[in-house]
Amino acid sequence: MIGLPALYTLAGLVFGSWAVATLLDRQHTKRLLGASFWGLLAVEFLAGDALGDTGNGLLLLLLVALALLGAPGKGQATTTTIAERLASVARHGNRLFLPALIMPCVALAGTFIFPLLPGLVDPKQVTLISLGLGALIATSVLMLWLRPPLVAPMQEGRRLAEGVGWAMILPQLLASLGALFTVAGVGEIVGALAPMAIPEGSRLAAVLAFTGGMAIFTIMMGNAFAAFPVMMGGIGLPVLVLGLGGDPVVVGAVGMLAGFCGTLLSPMAANFNIVPAALLNLPDRYAVIRAQWPTAVLLWLCNTAMIWGFAFR
């Protein structure tokens, strides 16, 4: 049965190929650091189960140390020249975007088809397996259609990953941080401190503490889903719902929206705010955040007003 281990193996091989390519790139600004960074990620995906919790924790600390030293850096990925790419654009036009549709189409089809084939794909991981299959099919179609150098997928993947930098692994790190906060009882600590800062019986102060906390924790962790259990367990449920009689549906749903406002302001939300700037080669790494902050503040005010106005009716 095909499950997550197959995807982990595929990801590990990709990271391993980047490590080798970086090591062979003599023009790379951080050749040894970059090769070590991608190599450790490859080990994580290929042998994470064998390393155990302690081994994975040490590996994570090594990755952080490498990132602080400037890894993965940027090299000279050799595939096609700019002239060749412009010629391809002139020849194929917007048809070049068609392979990008293969991944979502395969993911959607696999989500419906694989459950009809019991024993083939882990039923809990159908969508992820389908997405991985879509990536392989899309890459194969592009290779057969455009006939680039055989190393193009590996080199172009490395080039894009180096453009994003260490921030590309932030989503995984932040998801782990959210789980760690929950296990450590951060929500209980927030719940114990909240009454000291919120005047008794003040709905507005309680709502501001909740929506403000959602936004701030999301900015810190880059993920509203990680912030939600902390703030809902610390303020939303005990103060707004049980203490002041607020509607849990309104508090929960709009509270998440307040957290998403923090996502618009956070460099920790790398896949939303840092990756696009890197992929578009924008000179300002934080250009997306600078463009989004007025909208984020306005939406946060609206969400706060919605909870205050509708949760206690």
Side-chain angles (χ1 to χ4, degrees):
M1 180 178 292
I2 303 174
L4 283 182
L7 285 183
Y8 291 159
T9 299
L10 177 62
L13 292 175
V14 170
F15 287 128
S17 70
W18 292 353
V20 174
T22 301
L23 192 60
L24 297 176
D25 185 355
R26 296 293 180 178
Q27 296 181 320
H28 200 286
T29 58
K30 303 279 186 179
R31 185 164 63 94
L32 296 179
L33 291 177
S36 299
F37 186 85
W38 300 127
L40 287 176
L41 277 176
V43 171
E44 174 73 20
F45 279 90
L46 293 174
D49 291 340
L51 292 176
D53 293 340
T54 301
N56 283 301
L58 292 174
L59 189 149
L60 176 59
L61 292 176
L62 289 175
L63 284 172
V64 172
L66 289 172
L68 291 174
L69 292 173
K74 290 187 178 182
Q76 298 293 326
T78 304
T79 55
T80 54
T81 65
I82 295 179
E84 290 172 334
R85 295 178 190 178
L86 292 175
S88 180
V89 170
R91 184 166 59 253
H92 301 292
N94 289 333
R95 287 178 297 169
L96 289 171
F97 291 101
L98 292 177
L101 300 177
I102 293 177
M103 289 179 60
C105 289
V106 172
L108 181 62
T111 301
F112 289 104
I113 294 174
F114 285 139
L116 302 178
L117 304 172
L120 180 60
V121 174
D122 184 350
K124 296 180 180 179
Q125 309 297 342
V126 167
T127 301
L128 287 176
I129 299 300
S130 300
L131 185 63
L133 179 61
L136 290 175
I137 293 176
T139 302
S140 300
V141 169
L142 281 170
M143 293 295 292
L144 293 173
W145 178 29
L146 301 179
R147 301 298 178 91
L150 291 178
V151 296
M154 179 265 291
Q155 291 284 18
E156 288 297 331
R158 178 172 74 98
R159 180 180 65 83
L160 291 175
E162 288 177 345
V164 177
W166 59 266
M168 69 175 293
I169 65 172
L170 267 180
Q172 294 87 344
L173 295 178
L174 295 173
S176 302
L177 180 62
L180 181 63
F181 274 22
T182 301
V183 173
V186 175
E188 298 175 2
I189 297 174
V190 172
L193 297 176
M196 303 179 186
I198 301 174
E200 185 175 357
S202 174
R203 291 179 178 178
L204 180 58
V207 171
L208 286 171
F210 176 59
T211 59
M214 278 295 302
I216 292 172
F217 266 80
T218 301
I219 291 172
M220 291 168 46
M221 295 190 286
N223 192 328
F225 293 99
F228 184 76
V230 175
M231 295 309 302
M232 193 65 183
I235 297 178
L237 186 60
V239 178
L240 293 179
V241 176
L242 299 179
L244 298 173
D247 185 337
V249 175
V250 176
V251 171
V254 183
M256 278 295 294
L257 294 177
F260 294 149
C261 296
T263 302
L264 297 176
L265 300 171
S266 176
M268 303 296 280
N271 49 331
F272 295 114
N273 300 331
I274 303 300
V275 171
L279 295 182
L280 294 173
N281 293 320
L282 299 180
D284 184 359
R285 185 178 180 86
Y286 303 106
V288 175
I289 296 176
R290 296 184 198 282
Q292 290 176 167
W293 77 262
T295 301
V297 173
L298 181 59
L299 287 175
W300 179 81
L301 291 173
C302 291
N303 291 325
T304 301
M306 286 178 65
I307 294 180
W308 182 59
F310 296 101
F312 304 100
R313 299 180 66 180

